Amino acid sequence: MIFNLERLIRQNVKTMSPYSSARDEYVSDGSAKIFLDANENPNENGVNRYPDPQQRSLKETLATIKGIATEHILLGNGSDEVLDLLFRAFCEPAKDNVITVPPTYGMYGVLASLNNVENRKILLTKSFTLAIDEILQAIDANTKIVFICSPNNPTGNCIPKKQIRKLLVNFHGLVVIDEAYIDFAREESWIAELSDHKNLVVTQTLSKAYGMAAIRLGSCFASAEIISILNKIKPPYNVNLLTQQMAQEKLLRSDVLNQELADILEERKNLEEALKTISFVQQIYPSEANFILAVVDDAGKRYAQLLEKGIIVRNRSGQPLCENSLRFTVGTPRENKSLIKVLKEIA
């Protein structure tokens, strides 16, 4: 069976007419001086005009960095909006299903519930890789999307590319790879393989490595056809002007990003070595992200002890395969030293 995008699109999305905003109908080329089309307050204050609904300048910068054409890029109000748009475009409520692979990012399941779409959960193996045969067996005619987080949250590992390629070839729905943590990993992004797989969708964010969690900017990379469908249903001005401006500035400062990445990776290594010296830490999982998942003797107890000392980590014990595990985000050298000091005190 050949991948057929038309078969995946919801019927109402196929037939709907997208909203056309004032700034969609007129794209400024700098020649116009008086704007009386969008019912804006005419008094200039820097933010009284609507932003570019297609974020053209920002996309051009991002396209250069990622080595991809702008028509393969969609930007959203955080990655969560991008993920929600995928549900809205391709998953028929109360009929279709998606597959997730716990332990993984919790929003996939939340968005499935919100959109009234069945979430078929296929656990990762004990080594946190895909149970690929079980996934393929769980797929039926109404399976529209498989979500894979790589590097995975909360486990920190990259999912083997061989497994994902097998899924891309054998599944004729969308394979969405969430690369929120890819900048910390040794592996290359899947963006480079978009032309090889028409059903591949890659999402990324500026919240992690770029240090811009507060501005809420997520990105989606896919075929021009998939991006066109998502553009059809996205809100008209989903990325505000201040976010576009701040993201543009940060993306152009690659020197800052590279130094911060190097520092975080060095601190990740130091933190891993330090955790090995803590008596109640029973296992440390290898990480390709900016956090480390560790098994401890009593996660609830240790979480409470750290909280009492003013240190907040994440107790991941409620996730499958993560019993008695704590997730430690890599902080600054000072923060990491404070963490280890407290861990030694409570040991």
Side-chain angles (χ1 to χ4, degrees), residues 162-233:
K162 182 178 180 181
Q163 289 190 324
I164 295 177
R165 287 196 185 98
K166 183 174 181 179
L167 185 58
L168 284 163
V169 170
N170 290 280
F171 173 51
H172 301 291
L174 299 180
V175 177
V176 177
I177 304 179
D178 183 347
E179 292 187 337
Y181 301 95
I182 192 63
D183 298 290
F184 304 106
R186 289 169 291 186
E187 286 196 1
E188 294 295 320
S189 168
W190 278 90
I191 291 175
E193 301 195 29
L194 283 174
S195 60
D196 298 328
H197 306 285
K198 296 301 182 184
N199 56 337
L200 173 61
V201 177
V202 179
T203 64
Q204 294 184 358
T205 179
L206 263 65
S207 294
K208 310 301 181 183
Y210 285 87
M212 306 197 79
I215 73 168
R216 310 306 304 129
L217 185 70
S219 52
C220 176
F221 305 90
S223 69
E225 292 77 15
I226 291 174
I227 296 299
S228 177
I229 294 162
L230 298 177
N231 270 320
K232 185 177 183 180
I233 66 170

Side-chain angles (χ1 to χ4, degrees), residues 99-126:
I99 292 176
T100 62
V101 288
T104 193
Y105 182 44
M107 275 303 293
Y108 311 140
V110 171
L111 291 171
S113 296
L114 177 63
N115 288 283
N116 195 19
V117 172
E118 179 190 357
N119 177 18
R120 298 184 175 178
K121 301 178 182 179
I122 308 297
L123 294 186
L124 295 176
T125 67
K126 290 183 179 179

Side-chain angles (χ1 to χ4, degrees), residues 155-157 184 186 268 272 285-293:
T155 60
N157 64 298
F184 304 106
R186 289 169 291 186
R268 184 180 71 189
E272 181 179 356
Y285 293 107
S287 177
E288 293 281 332
N290 67 329
F291 58 81
I292 295 173
L293 187 71

Side-chain angles (χ1 to χ4, degrees), residues 26 31-37 49:
Y26 173 74
S31 61
K33 303 302 180 186
I34 299 176
F35 291 87
L36 302 177
D37 58 343
R49 300 295 180 184

Side-chain angles (χ1 to χ4, degrees), residues 128 154-157 271-287 291-300 302-303 306 313-318 321-329 339-340 343:
F128 300 142
T155 60
N157 64 298
L271 180 58
E272 181 179 356
E273 291 302 314
L275 286 171
K276 292 177 182 178
T277 69
I278 307 302
S279 61
F280 60 78
V281 174
Q282 300 177 346
Q283 184 174 1
I284 301 169
Y285 293 107
S287 177
F291 58 81
I292 295 173
L293 187 71
V295 179
V296 298
D297 57 350
D298 186 332
R302 303 306 181 183
Y303 175 86
L306 287 168
V313 297
R314 198 81 187 270
N315 187 346
R316 297 285 73 193
S317 301
L321 308 176
C322 296
E323 184 179 356
N324 275 326
S325 65
L326 297 177
R327 193 190 68 191
F328 300 92
T329 302
L339 168 65
I340 295 303
L343 289 174

Side-chain angles (χ1 to χ4, degrees), residues 46-47 49-59 61-62 74-79 81-82 204-207 210-219 237-252:
V47 292
R49 300 295 180 184
Y50 285 108
D52 177 3
Q54 290 299 324
Q55 310 95 33
R56 292 170 180 84
S57 178
L58 179 55
K59 283 181 181 176
T61 299
L62 195 58
L74 175 95
L75 299 179
N77 181 14
S79 294
E81 181 184 46
V82 170
Q204 294 184 358
T205 179
L206 263 65
S207 294
Y210 285 87
M212 306 197 79
I215 73 168
R216 310 306 304 129
L217 185 70
S219 52
Y237 302 108
N238 62 325
V239 180
N240 70 71
L241 176 63
L242 300 180
T243 289
Q244 292 185 44
Q245 290 175 339
M246 291 195 70
Q248 183 89 306
E249 292 172 10
K250 185 70 173 185
L251 287 170
L252 293 173

